[in-house]
Amino acid sequence: MKLNIAVLAGDGIGPEISREGIKVLDVIAKKFGHEFNYTYALCGAAAIDAVGDPFPEETFQICKDADAVFFSAVGHPKFDNNPSAKVRPEQGLLAMRKKLGLFANIRPVQTFDCLVHKSPLKDELVRGADFVCIRELTGGMYFGAKKEGADEAYDTCAYTRPEVERILRVAYQYARQRRKHLTVVDKANVLASSRLWRAVAQEMMVEYPDVTTDFMYVDNAAMRMIQDPKFFDVMVTENTFGDILTDEGSCITGSMGLLPSASTGESTPVFEPIHGSWPQATGLNIANPLAQILSAAMMLEYFNLAEEGALIRKAVDASLDANVRTPEIQVPEGGKFGTIEVGSWIAEWISKQ
Ligand code: IPM
Ligand code: MN
């Protein structure tokens, strides 16, 4: 298969983990006879510094013309404590999502048995937890009407029926392929937008009689994820709730550096780690490349390259079993491995299969 991939490495540790992801993609291409072509483009703080725009038009065109976007991370501390900064790196990510119509963000929360001890939760709660959060990505407060005055400010959480319907359809598709249990997470006891979500979901659930649909308030869901993460199979929720719950989900697994994601919708799909740019670690060769490498697996699976995706996942498991791990998940008896060493080990393991 020939794939044209737009590579947006972004800021902080982004370029470092991006390189490892591509290293792995290259051995897969060689092994299976695929042709992956990469076009590199600027985004985030790097793009602000270069051209004053966190998602330049040129980058948008490159993404639009590609088959997939392989994204890493954006964000830089020089913007964080400056509420009056006119442009922020994060706006680049939001612009990309909006302009590519990426309304469905798929965030799997999977635990690795050999890392269960790293989770802040008890072993027996975490072992076997495996769910997917489907986060609506182009609506809600992120994109609703805003006012930012000196004495008054607001963000509006607005959703239309078609927006809710299309994301619920994605969630039902996932539920059908998994354990057939969908939890719709909202705040329908307080928010009008949530009541629309609930009404639409209640109408649609009859079309999916094979799937058990239940409804949960977001505060309760946040608690349930900690008390009993195995309850969940597929959860679907609006943009802001999904942002918060997926950070919570990632920490259940023991490391932020492990979880990939896919964003799909109207145009080119994007594959990226769920973690941020970790600026403090830039250039130190300590960032975990696994979320980026697993994002490559999700990308290949999206194009029905199931065997290739599975091989990457097996290689990741093998690296963990061999204690070839970055410092934050390394065991005391394990050696010292950096971003590059982990990526190279995985690539080599794949090439030997
Ligand atoms: C995420 C991130 C982004 C979000 C930020 C960087 C804008 O936290 O992908 O979860 O809030 O959506
Ligand atoms: Mn987030």
Side-chain angles (χ1 to χ4, degrees), residues 171-182 211 234:
Y172 272 114
Q173 295 308 330
Y174 271 85
R176 274 200 163 149
Q177 285 157 29
R178 292 176 48 98
R179 302 192 299 274
K180 301 188 167 46
H181 174 200
L182 178 66
V211 175
V234 178

Side-chain angles (χ1 to χ4, degrees), residues 20 288-290 293 319 324-326 337-347:
E20 301 314 311
N288 194 335
L290 294 188
I293 290 171
S319 72
V324 177
R325 310 174 178 200
T326 44
F337 298 94
T339 316
I340 297 173
E341 289 74 31
V342 172
S344 298
W345 192 95
I346 289 172

Side-chain angles (χ1 to χ4, degrees), residues 107 135 243 247:
R107 296 189 164 184
R135 169 187 174 194
D243 178 47
D247 261 33

Side-chain angles (χ1 to χ4, degrees), residues 99-242:
K99 287 178 129 177
L100 295 175
L102 303 170
F103 62 84
N105 183 218
I106 320 299
R107 296 189 164 184
V109 177
Q110 257 172 336
T111 50
F112 294 83
D113 275 354
C114 61
L115 291 177
V116 159
H117 66 284
K118 282 279 174 190
S119 171
L121 301 186
K122 291 198 187 82
D123 252 47
E124 66 267 25
L125 290 182
V126 183
R127 205 173 285 277
D130 172 13
F131 62 92
V132 179
C133 181
I134 313 281
R135 169 187 174 194
E136 201 291 327
L137 204 58
T138 51
M141 279 196 282
Y142 277 62
F143 297 98
K146 288 180 195 300
K147 175 176 171 182
E148 197 156 354
D151 300 309
E152 189 194 33
Y154 56 75
D155 306 276
T156 317
C157 185
Y159 274 102
T160 63
R161 175 176 282 271
E163 283 175 322
V164 178
E165 224 181 277
R166 66 183 181 178
I167 188 74
L168 285 170
R169 293 228 183 269
V170 173
Y172 272 114
Q173 295 308 330
Y174 271 85
R176 274 200 163 149
Q177 285 157 29
R178 292 176 48 98
R179 302 192 299 274
K180 301 188 167 46
H181 174 200
L182 178 66
T183 305
V184 181
V185 175
D186 64 26
K187 187 73 187 172
N189 50 345
V190 178
L191 302 177
S193 52
S194 282
R195 285 192 285 274
L196 175 66
W197 273 69
R198 205 171 267 223
V200 174
Q202 280 169 348
E203 284 169 31
M204 280 172 63
M205 60 194 274
V206 296
E207 288 179 50
Y208 301 88
D210 51 324
V211 175
T212 305
T213 306
D214 49 34
F215 297 89
M216 201 180 278
Y217 296 141
V218 62
D219 45 352
N220 189 20
M223 186 175 76
R224 194 80 190 248
M225 271 172 63
I226 298 293
Q227 278 182 332
D228 182 17
K230 279 177 270 191
F231 170 83
F232 296 102
D233 176 20
V234 178
M235 68 162 75
V236 61
T237 192
E238 67 88 36
N239 204 345
T240 306
F241 296 162

Side-chain angles (χ1 to χ4, degrees), residues 74-75 89-91 93-94 97 105 107 135 137 142 239 242-244 246-247 261 272-276:
V74 291
E90 290 80 0
Q91 286 166 348
L93 182 56
L94 300 181
R97 291 170 179 171
N105 183 218
R107 296 189 164 184
R135 169 187 174 194
L137 204 58
Y142 277 62
N239 204 345
D243 178 47
I244 298 166
T246 52
D247 261 33
S261 77
E272 59 170 314
I274 84 147
H275 61 72

Side-chain angles (χ1 to χ4, degrees), residues 277-338:
S277 60
W278 198 15
Q280 303 81 351
T282 310
L284 299 181
N285 192 33
I286 56 170
N288 194 335
L290 294 188
Q292 182 81 67
I293 290 171
L294 290 166
S295 299
M298 279 187 98
M299 178 167 81
L300 299 180
E301 285 157 1
Y302 176 91
F303 292 103
N304 294 320
L305 302 177
E307 202 186 322
E308 290 83 337
L311 188 56
I312 294 179
R313 291 177 192 281
K314 258 178 85 178
V316 166
D317 287 342
S319 72
L320 291 168
D321 288 343
N323 290 337
V324 177
R325 310 174 178 200
T326 44
E328 93 289 2
I329 55 168
Q330 188 53 293
V331 289
E333 67 274 22
K336 205 167 171 287
F337 298 94

